[in-house]
Amino acid sequence: MTFRPLPLALGGMVAMAAAMGIGRFVYTPILPYMADALSLSPSDAGLIASANFLGYMGGALFAATGILGGDRRTWALGALAASAATTAAMAATVSLPLFLALRFAGGVASALVMVFGSALVFDRLAEAGRPNLSHLHFAGVGLGIAISAVVVTSVGAAGGWSGQWVAAGAVAAAGFAAVLILVPGDTGPAAGYASPPAAPGRSAAPLAVAYGLFGFGYVITATFVSAMVRTTPAISSVEPVVWLAVGLAAIPSVALWTWIGRRIGNPASFALACLVEAVGVAITVAVAHPAAVVAGAALLGGTFMGLTALGLIMGRGLATGDPRRMLAVLTASFGLGQMIGPVFAGYLSEITGSYAAPSYAAATLLVIAAALTKLIPAPARG
């Protein structure tokens, strides 16, 4: 073994913080500033979010083809650099088509970090007999979200939305530098994918559908909660902290829900987390009180990364070979749900005048995702 497990896990955490917590999710706290300055409609805002998720889905599917040569570390590092660059570049334009293109490219980058980075970290931790450290890898998303909330609030209205994008890109670039140091090179057969990736198989269908419904179910609140808070006078005071609550709750969520999974089974843990998240999503629009909205945001943050991890863990258990394709297919299903959600919510909110209807729809699909876990088969391997 030529690496130390803890620094590797910390490197994975930083990679997820930079590419996912910042690269993907910093748009949420910046959106109210962009909407005010550029007169973005909810439908335009939804399109920008969905472009990122379309890129995420496309990147996952591309990773599943097996045609990408080279080692996983190289791809993960390249994608991290691209994520930082496209994040900062959002400040350089006011064109909606360019916003869409940049967010699409950023989505591709984040998917490649998720697929290649996660597979690399999982395999190396398993090789070292320390798979329990994987929760640090996933904690990076919550850490990145919390950092993005602090960055956006610190830059504030004085620096404007463009300054916020530049600052976020700079932080993501610092994350790239840290990963370069902490994550060692790929070695062994997995580096060049000499072993063919395992096909997902028909048994993965219930999990893939549930994962896609979860993607839809969380993303509406995760995209629009800051904008919703700003435009609702009764709760506007919590705008600086609502996204921070999501990030802080997300940091321990993977450790929590995987711990629950070890005791009641991963499918049951996934179902319970979906139900808890459905309550959080519904609360954010059902009760116009600052404490209720922050509580709903915390329930969202406290479940969505746990659900992400549980889905990938179950998918890995259903695979019988290299799990890369299984992880990519699940990521693509998740990405499809994410892609549809913001567009749906943006247009429906313009029709109805609020985010209540799309949020209740999202909560309903989370309940359906919970029910689908009954159909997930036992893992093919431990």
Side-chain angles (χ1 to χ4, degrees), residues 91-123:
T93 183
V94 295
S95 163
L96 180 59
L98 287 179
F99 283 150
L100 298 177
L102 287 168
R103 293 307 287 159
F104 175 86
V108 172
S110 63
L112 294 181
V113 173
M114 170 65 87
V115 173
F116 290 106
S118 296
L120 172 61
V121 171
F122 288 171
D123 283 350

Side-chain angles (χ1 to χ4, degrees), residues 44-313:
D44 287 340
L47 283 173
I48 294 171
S50 290
N52 182 255
F53 300 134
L54 175 61
Y56 189 80
M57 182 179 66
L61 290 172
F62 190 47
T65 63
I67 65 174
L68 297 179
D71 64 80
R72 295 177 289 192
R73 180 176 182 267
T74 298
W75 280 107
L77 286 171
L80 276 171
S83 177
T86 55
T87 296
M90 286 287 288
T93 183
V94 295
S95 163
L96 180 59
L98 287 179
F99 283 150
L100 298 177
L102 287 168
R103 293 307 287 159
F104 175 86
V108 172
S110 63
L112 294 181
V113 173
M114 170 65 87
V115 173
F116 290 106
S118 296
L120 172 61
V121 171
F122 288 171
D123 283 350
R124 293 297 172 258
L125 290 178
E127 175 188 331
R130 299 294 302 276
N132 58 304
L133 290 177
S134 62
H135 70 271
L136 288 176
H137 176 76
F138 285 114
V141 179
L143 177 64
I145 288 174
I147 290 172
S148 75
V150 172
V151 168
V152 170
T153 300
S154 298
V155 175
W161 64 270
S162 58
Q164 291 164 344
W165 280 112
V166 170
V171 173
F176 166 84
V179 173
L180 190 65
I181 296 169
L182 291 169
V183 178
D186 212 350
T187 60
Y193 309 121
S195 300
R202 299 182 65 161
S203 63
L207 174 59
V209 173
Y211 212 50
L213 294 179
F214 152 56
F216 182 99
Y218 97 91
V219 77
I220 291 173
T221 306
T223 299
F224 292 108
V225 65
S226 294
M228 178 188 70
V229 165
R230 176 172 290 199
T231 56
T232 307
I235 56 176
S236 61
S237 61
V238 300
E239 184 186 342
V241 299
V242 69
W243 195 237
L244 180 63
V246 172
L248 292 177
I251 291 172
S253 64
V254 171
L256 170 64
W257 288 105
T258 53
W259 177 83
I260 293 173
R262 288 193 294 272
R263 279 147 184 80
I264 66 175
N266 287 328
S269 182
F270 188 94
L272 179 59
C274 280
L275 296 177
V276 171
E277 186 168 293
V279 172
V281 168
I283 284 177
T284 60
V285 292
V287 184
H289 188 280
V293 174
V294 172
L299 290 178
L300 172 71
T303 51
F304 86 95
M305 276 313 301
L307 284 163
T308 302
L310 285 170
L312 295 178
I313 290 168

Side-chain angles (χ1 to χ4, degrees), residues 203 267 314 317-319 373-382:
S203 63
M314 288 188 287
L318 292 175
T373 60
K374 294 290 185 182
L375 303 177
I376 297 174
R381 57 188 175 92

